[in-house]
């Protein structure tokens, strides 16, 4: 089965997929905007098509069941009809009562600034890499800011996320930006794509949320073409700055029980994540079979800086000064807020080793 030129396979067995409705020349259901069903021609497993998005998950995300997620996606599509992306975000958080107002405000601010941040991130990573030639997959695409930024740079871009509700928001952002990109609901640890399908894979704020980080890293390696590269951005567990999910200073240093208690007192749901250090991130990528791994501290974009208040902007300015100092990069890799990594899939097969767990 193909979706806008991207091949899809069964995430359970790797077999071919077919829509049970009528199909066009490329194997996509002719009425793809409607709900339907997809079946594996090898193992017989069936998957739903939800509002034109294939739901190829093997399990749900940890916060909501698949049935609840699909119902919320349909509700969002109905309530956000005719609205822009920013207005749709307000609708999203108005019906997501588990996210308290203090977190919702932080998340909305970050999401609205994400287009510019994604463009700056790609520009920064591109400066250290070879020219593109092929398709890009964004794993954990969320509301798809990176797909908007990457679309002019690649032949095709595709987004995958475990949350159907977020893909409805992603489609809003893509439509508003005039970007055509297929969206697929699937688990990062069981990607529904054939081996060596993409020249580049991105994972921005994704690895820390995976139930199995090693399996997710191996899947990224599997779907990359030989010589392809992955770009990773992830919060630093040892950061002294505000926790990106809770706002707590040095939140990654705290025991999960204290973090959970703080968020519950605020009326929220504790984040389920496993933050990485620089060493753990390198080990994770090496264990999946990647080589030429580089890790550097995050470069804050001007767009992202402008979205904060005066105190935070001053802290960002100080951070950027330290980043340029001799030895500053090493200090920020150790205790800075975010880590960026680039790694390549070798053209030859290498033995893999288990990752370091800290």
């Amino acid at each position: 089965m193909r979706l806008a030129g991207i091949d899809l396979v069964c995430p359970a067995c790797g077999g071919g997929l077919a829509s049970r409705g009528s199909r066009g020349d490329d194997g996509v259901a002719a009425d793809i905007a409607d709900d339907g069903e997809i079946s594996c021609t090898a193992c017989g497993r069936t998957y739903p098509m939800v509002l034109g998005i294939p739901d190829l998950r093997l399990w749900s995300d940890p916060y909501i069941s698949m049935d609840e997620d699909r119902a919320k996606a349909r509700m969002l599509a109905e309530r956000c009809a005719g609205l822009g992306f920013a207005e749709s975000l307000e609708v999203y958080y108005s019906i997501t009562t588990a996210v308290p107002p203090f977190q919702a405000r932080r998340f909305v601010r970050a999401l609205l600034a994400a287009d510019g941040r994604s463009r700056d991130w790609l520009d920064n990573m591109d400066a250290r890499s070879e020219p593109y030639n092929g398709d890009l997959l964004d794993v954990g695409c969320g509301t798809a800011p990176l797909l908007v930024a990457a679309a002019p740079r690649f032949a095709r871009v595709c987004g995958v996320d475990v949350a159907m509700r977020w893909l409805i928001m992603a489609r809003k952002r893509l439509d508003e930006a005039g970007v055509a990109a297929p969206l697929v609901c699937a688990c990062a640890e069981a990607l529904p794509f054939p081996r060596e399908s993409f020249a580049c894979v991105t994972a921005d704020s994704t690895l820390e949320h995976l139930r199995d980080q090693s399996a997710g890293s191996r899947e990224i390696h599997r779907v990359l073409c030989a010589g392809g590269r992955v770009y990773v951005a992830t919060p630093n567990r040892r950061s002294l700055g505000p926790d990106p999910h809770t706002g707590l200073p040095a939140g990654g240093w705290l025991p999960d029980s204290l973090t959970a208690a703080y968020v519950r007192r605020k009326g929220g749901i504790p984040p389920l994540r496993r933050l990485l250090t620089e060493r753990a991130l390198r080990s994770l990528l090496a264990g999946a079979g990647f080589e030429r791994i580089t890790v550097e501290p995050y470069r804050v974009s001007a767009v992202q800086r402008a979205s904060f208040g005066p105190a935070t902007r001053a802290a960002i300015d100080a951070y950027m000064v330290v980043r340029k100092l001799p030895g500053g990069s090493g200090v920020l890799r150790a205790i800075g807020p975010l880590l960026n990594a680039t790694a390549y899939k070798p053209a030859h097969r290498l033995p893999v080793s288990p990752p370091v767990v800290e």
Side-chain angles (χ1 to χ4, degrees):
M1 178 178 175
R2 307 197 81 200
L3 186 66
I6 302 293
D7 290 323
L8 297 176
V9 298
C10 175
C13 75
L17 295 174
S19 170
R20 291 195 172 182
S22 59
R23 294 189 296 275
D25 293 337
D26 63 353
V28 180
D31 57 344
I32 197 165
D34 298 328
D35 293 349
E37 195 170 72
I38 303 165
S39 62
C40 176
T41 58
C43 70
R45 190 177 182 124
T46 60
Y47 305 91
M49 181 79 78
V50 180
L51 300 168
I53 300 173
D55 188 349
L56 301 177
R57 291 176 289 185
L58 298 184
W59 55 80
S60 65
D61 75 61
Y63 298 102
I64 188 172
S65 73
M66 282 193 273
D67 286 341
E68 291 170 331
D69 186 32
R70 293 173 192 136
K72 186 169 184 176
R74 296 181 202 280
M75 181 189 301
L76 284 167
E78 180 180 351
R79 294 194 181 185
C80 297
L83 299 181
F85 176 68
E87 295 169 304
S88 297
L89 283 179
E90 296 299 328
V91 173
Y92 179 89
Y93 284 108
S94 73
I95 66 172
T96 307
T97 55
V99 178
F102 84 96
Q103 279 187 316
R105 289 190 295 270
R106 181 184 301 114
F107 295 159
V108 168
R109 183 174 63 239
L111 290 168
L112 292 177
D115 279 359
R117 184 180 74 85
S118 295
R119 282 192 296 272
D120 284 354
W121 184 50
L122 286 177
D123 288 343
N124 185 47
M125 304 302 264
D126 291 352
R128 294 159 173 77
S129 306
E130 293 83 357
Y132 297 117
N133 182 22
D135 299 339
L136 171 137
L137 174 68
D138 187 20
V139 177
C141 69
T143 64
L146 199 137
L147 295 181
V148 172
R153 310 172 192 230
F154 290 86
R156 282 180 294 262
V157 294
C158 177
V160 62
D161 200 279
V162 74
M164 181 65 72
R165 60 198 182 277
W166 278 118
L167 293 179
I168 299 301
M169 295 293 99
R171 191 154 60 187
K172 281 287 181 182
R173 190 195 288 270
L174 291 170
D175 289 346
E176 193 167 87
V179 172
L183 300 173
V184 181
C185 198
C187 306
E189 300 91 335
L191 294 172
F193 308 102
R195 183 178 300 274
E196 300 195 347
S197 293
F198 299 94
C200 184
V201 174
T202 51
D204 183 1
S205 302
T206 297
L207 293 183
E208 66 271 18
H209 296 293
L210 301 186
R211 61 191 283 178
D212 189 332
Q213 294 173 334
S214 295
S217 301
R218 290 194 300 269
E219 276 292 272
I220 289 173
H221 186 277
R222 180 184 66 82
V223 302
L224 266 175
C225 298
R229 61 189 178 274
V230 60
Y231 293 159
V232 173
T234 189
N236 186 356
R237 177 184 150 197
R238 291 179 177 161
S239 170
L240 298 181
D243 187 302
H245 306 117
T246 67
L248 280 169
W253 291 82
L254 301 175
D256 290 344
S257 58
L258 290 182
T259 300
Y262 169 80
V263 176
R264 288 194 186 98
R265 281 199 302 271
K266 292 281 189 174
I269 297 177
L272 302 175
R273 80 278 172 90
R274 184 154 63 91
L275 301 177
L276 298 167
T277 63
E278 178 195 2
R279 180 168 177 260
L281 177 58
R282 288 182 181 275
S283 178
L284 187 68
L285 295 172
F290 288 100
E291 63 178 15
R292 297 165 58 193
I293 301 166
T294 59
V295 180
E296 62 181 5
Y298 184 76
R299 184 173 67 86
V300 182
S301 73
V303 172
Q304 189 177 16
R305 177 188 179 278
S307 69
F308 292 103
T312 303
R313 290 199 299 270
I316 289 172
D317 292 341
Y319 168 89
M320 294 302 290
V321 169
V322 172
R323 191 176 184 275
K324 295 176 182 179
L325 293 175
S329 180
V331 171
L332 294 179
R333 286 199 303 272
I335 59 172
L338 288 165
L339 300 170
N340 283 345
T342 305
Y344 288 80
K345 180 175 180 176
H348 54 283
R349 186 178 298 275
L350 293 175
V352 299
S353 58
V356 173
V357 177
E358 297 187 351

